[in-house]
Amino acid sequence: MSPPSIGEKPRYSALRLFLEGLRGQKGWGPAWRSPEPKRRYDAIIIGGGGHGLSAAYHLARDHGLTDVLVIEKAWLGGGNTGRNTTIIRSNYFNRASQAVYDASLKLYEGLSRELNYNIMFSQRGSIELAHSAAEMEGLRRVVNAMQVNGIEASLLTRDEVLDMVPLLDPRRDCRWPVAGAMIQRRAGVARHDAVAWGYARAADGMGVDIVQNCAVSGFRIEGGRVTGVETPFGLIEAKVFGMAVAGASPELAALAGFRLPLLCMTLQAMVSEPLKPCLDQVVASTPNGAYVSQSDKGELVIGGGLEHLPSFARRGGLAKTREVVASVVEMFPSFSTLKLMRQWGGTVDTSPDNSPILGPSPVPNLFLNCGWGTGGFKAIPIGGKLLAHLMATGRHHPLSEPFGLERFATGRLIDEAHAGVAHD
Ligand code: FAD
Ligand code: PYC
């Protein structure tokens, strides 16, 4: 059986997998092309992370715009998309945020099938712990706010939590006693690289060009509009541009002549040596500043809060690593014997209200998708869809309307500082 040509939906997948196994997996072709870019496109997206690739996919699929180029400085998904701890949930406080994140969660639920690419979405539930009656009251407010808007979430008693997560320290007099929790059962984790690769393959299949190792180093602006971007291949022109570059957003904005209200900081994560399955949910404690889940390989995937220093170093500091490990071990004493295997960081673009920026930039045909900070992996499906809508129509989709840049002037902020462990 010959390998499917690029973009062709592989049929007979199980048979193909079996046959490839017999011949040592030698028949797989690249999942997307690596074309030399043309001089001119209808649309250019800067940034080949999840949001940029999802936007390219939606431009082609939802709007029939296939003369599209994605330009990536390094490798696809090598930014925060490939560095995050993959938590997908929609337990946010404001109605506008809940609408965006829950639309994204729903898209994730069908994504493996839609892209014909296994993103390994595991809806194992996300538990947010409370350690006191006052913290329980805070969680009750979030659960109420979600239920009012028709989004599933519920409270767990102390006994229910300890039943579900037996490795938590059950003592009432320990440093972080369990008082109860909030659970969103539809929440979970997915394979981050697969999300980027799945979107890349699907977009490529519809004719989108993807170019890696190609940094945008400048904008050509004529008559107040962007007409092209400077790249190692020279100037590449287009009618409309989208920017989805996360931690590089302030730098790119400066090249286009405007400023963004974003601070870039390091968020780190780490994994332990692999263990037999022992933790069935994602467990987070915002008060304690740590969270943990178990990967399919068995490693504990651990993270904590931001390093509150502006930085572009994609490596967390030892002080924060220690703090996070201590927090996890205080909650799960039996994890204290584990070895830490790897630690890394990503540059996250945090906005003043911990909500993303989606909308037109001050340059009319350049549209923004940024400011997701510590929480944008869960939003990749919807973030791309909303950027594509902006680029194709020049107008907001109703879901992105509240997230425009102008909210920092009007004061209509969407405060999500307490929407999770790394969100403040
Ligand atoms: P990126 O994936 O960073 O993609 C941007 C791309 O733009 C990069 O590939 C970069 O190389 C490229 N680029 C930059 N400059 C240029 C240029 N000049 N020219 C061309 N290309 C350029 N979110 C969650 O929802 N759940 C989590 O559990 C979670 N955990 C996290 C844990 C850590 C440690 C980190 C760092 C982040 C975490 N996040 C989480 C946040 C999430 O990873 C990001 O919000 C999300 O991945 C952003 O996706 P993106 O596509 O916008 O950015
Ligand atoms: O968005 O759920 C999240 C998250 C947890 C840690 C970092 N981001």
Side-chain angles (χ1 to χ4, degrees), residues 85 87-89 92 267 291 303-304 374-378 419-423:
T85 46
I87 300 169
I88 296 166
R89 58 188 177 86
Y92 281 70
L267 183 67
Y291 61 97
T374 62
F377 176 71
K378 64 178 77 62
V421 70
H423 283 53

Side-chain angles (χ1 to χ4, degrees), residues 45-54 70-89 92 101 108 188-189 192 196 211 213-218 230-231 243-249 251-252 255 265-270 282 291 301-304 306 314 344-349 369-380 422-423:
I45 295 166
I46 310 166
H51 283 271
L53 293 166
S54 163
V70 177
I71 304 183
E72 165 53 46
K73 175 168 78 172
W75 66 96
L76 297 190
N80 291 339
T81 297
R83 292 165 185 271
N84 74 91
T85 46
T86 79
I87 300 169
I88 296 166
R89 58 188 177 86
Y92 281 70
Y101 291 109
Y108 262 122
V189 290
H192 46 20
V211 179
N213 298 312
C214 179
V216 167
S217 54
E230 307 285 354
T231 77
M243 204 173 102
V245 294
S249 301
E251 179 193 331
L252 265 281
L255 291 175
M265 302 181 223
T266 305
L267 183 67
Q268 66 168 286
M270 58 208 85
V282 178
Y291 61 97
V301 181
I302 296 168
L306 278 166
R314 296 199 291 186
W344 65 91
T347 307
V348 295
D349 47 337
N369 170 328
C370 59
W372 294 101
T374 62
F377 176 71
K378 64 178 77 62
I380 283 172
H423 283 53

Side-chain angles (χ1 to χ4, degrees), residues 370-393:
C370 59
W372 294 101
T374 62
F377 176 71
K378 64 178 77 62
I380 283 172
I382 197 69
K385 192 176 171 71
L386 297 175
L387 178 60
H389 188 281
L390 282 157
M391 291 174 69
T393 66

Side-chain angles (χ1 to χ4, degrees), residues 18 59 65 96 98 104 209 223 288 294 302 345 350 367:
F18 175 71
L59 272 179
L65 255 178
Q98 290 166 1
S104 203
D209 282 357
N288 186 4
Q294 190 170 23
I302 296 168
T350 61
F367 294 91

Side-chain angles (χ1 to χ4, degrees), residues 229-246:
V229 286
E230 307 285 354
T231 77
F233 291 95
L235 183 77
I236 309 180
E237 295 173 322
K239 296 174 194 153
V240 64
F241 297 80
M243 204 173 102
V245 294

Side-chain angles (χ1 to χ4, degrees), residues 2-11 16 28-34 57 60 66 114-117 197-210:
S2 61
S5 58
I6 284 178
E8 185 189 337
K9 281 233 161 72
R11 287 172 297 152
R16 172 119 199 270
W28 300 109
W32 54 85
R33 296 161 300 133
S34 295
Y57 168 77
T66 55
E114 182 178 332
L115 300 178
N116 187 25
Y117 203 98
W197 298 339
Y199 275 122
R201 189 180 73 161
D204 173 279
M206 290 184 282
V208 170
D209 282 357
I210 299 171

